[in-house]
Amino acid sequence: PIKSSAASDVYKRQIIDKIGSNLTKWTMASFMGRVNYGFKGRYLFTGSVRYDGSSRLAEGHKWVAFPSVALAWRVSEEAFMKKQNFLSNLKLRAGWGKTGNSSIDPYMTRGGLGLSTYVWDNGASEVLGYAPSIMANSELTWETTKQWNVGVDFGFFNNRLSGTVDLYLQHTSDLLLERQIPVVSGFGSVLSNVGETKNKGIEISLSSLNINTKSFQWTTDVMFYANKESIESLYNGKVDDIGNKWFIGHPINVHYDYEKIGIWQNTSEDLAEMEEFNKNGANFKSGDIKIWDNGDKKITEADRKILGSTSPKFIASMVNSISYKGFDFSIFLYASVGAMLNNNIEYLNKPGRANSIVIDYWTPTNPTNAYPRPSVDNASPAYVKSLQYEKADFIRVRNITLGYTLPEKLLKKIRARKIRVYLSANNPFVITGFSGIDPEGARGYTAPSASTWMGGVNLSF
């Protein structure tokens, strides 16, 4: 018990100004069964089913069954294939399956509270309070994906050339996405099961033994992957959701904005066209950013368009490995084509008098179409964001390694089993037209992919 008056005063002045916790708890339970059947080593069947439950989802929507089935035929094991030696391996495959995703933060179905302070008595006193900060959704359920797959495994010339080809079609429904809602509801967005998407694509992998002699070997591995993603429907059917930048027939993550098509010049043609825009409320001058227009000579919301997607149209890689006597060399190339990034670099918003890197600004004596004229105040150029969208195609050298293993005669003299010296470079350089720091590292913003050079010795005694 507190007896002294001084201690009592200290106790009375202690005020709890917030209550909170970072503790979260969630559980996942799964039950699975599988049946495998093979007949004569040529006809194969696999069937399985999973029954998964997630505490993250709403009551009554936690448990879902996910079945799958796959068939395969080893054609190369058939009797009619034994008389030829051209095709050394051939296997046909087909499968169907259903998978699920429940990767959301715990308690999203119940919503959340945020700390608020209420002022009373004209600011004389404050009262701690909590208000809803996350909108609850008691209908959240599994995001499910159904996928068809057909493929072929093959090998030629005693598997000197081998590979696989896979075609797939994915249909995803009830996507777990944040959907924007009118702010008059008290919330800016709500996590919902929204619409359907479709993915279709092809995956190809090839391996070849190009040269195989006693002293010289050369192998090549190639991979190619292409995917096309599209939104099939949304919460309101086959209607675009411009607020979320979701469009039917297009990928989920797209850049939707005004498109820069150049810089307004001092030519008679540009001056006459600028006058038409300025009559309709614009204020264009020579050196300003020129925006794509739908033909009505007005820059409005109707002139925004889908510029591109953050996802590449295809990716490819190739690994070449060469060994000659004691030397070994390998190089790994990786390419990405078709993606567009928002190159949000700060210097694009700098006025002309600010200390910045060298930029190809427009001036009367430098009529470039790259960047608008420099400003003398702190105002950013109109439609400056249109400068940030860039194609992010690149070819990167992932790894180069050169090594040498000492010959056995020399190893015996020093009583060693193996000694190999090597030099390796990871991400030594990239070839790209992207003007940002790196089209892959940090998705093009401020951090490049790390480049590492290493040298070493492997010893075995």
Side-chain angles (χ1 to χ4, degrees), residues 198-232:
K198 182 170 66 176
N199 283 271
K200 56 183 178 181
I202 183 173
E203 297 179 7
I204 301 174
S205 63
L206 297 172
S207 297
S208 65
L209 180 58
N210 306 315
I211 299 176
N212 186 25
T213 65
K214 184 177 180 180
S215 60
F216 186 77
Q217 293 83 36
W218 173 26
T219 63
T220 301
D221 296 296
V222 178
M223 188 279 296
F224 176 87
Y225 166 74
N227 178 74
K228 183 178 181 181
E229 175 191 1
S230 62
I231 298 174
E232 297 298 298

Side-chain angles (χ1 to χ4, degrees), residues 2 12 116 152 156 161 251 283 334 344 387 397 416:
I2 299 175
K12 291 178 181 179
S116 297
V152 56
F156 297 96
L161 174 64
N283 188 28
Y334 179 86
N344 187 17
L387 297 171
V397 178

Side-chain angles (χ1 to χ4, degrees), residues 37-45 71-75 78 80:
Y37 176 76
F39 180 69
K40 295 185 177 180
R42 300 195 295 268
Y43 311 104
L44 308 175
F45 168 83
L71 301 170
W73 177 25
R74 296 184 183 274
V75 183
E78 296 287 354
F80 61 83

Side-chain angles (χ1 to χ4, degrees), residues 2 12 30 37 77-78 85 95 102 123 142 170 192 204 233 254 286 319 333 341 363 418 442:
I2 299 175
K12 291 178 181 179
S30 299
Y37 176 76
E77 298 298 320
E78 296 287 354
N85 53 20
S102 63
W142 287 84
Q170 293 179 339
S192 306
I204 301 174
S233 66
V254 298
S286 298
V319 179
L333 304 177
L341 295 182
T363 65
K418 183 178 181 180

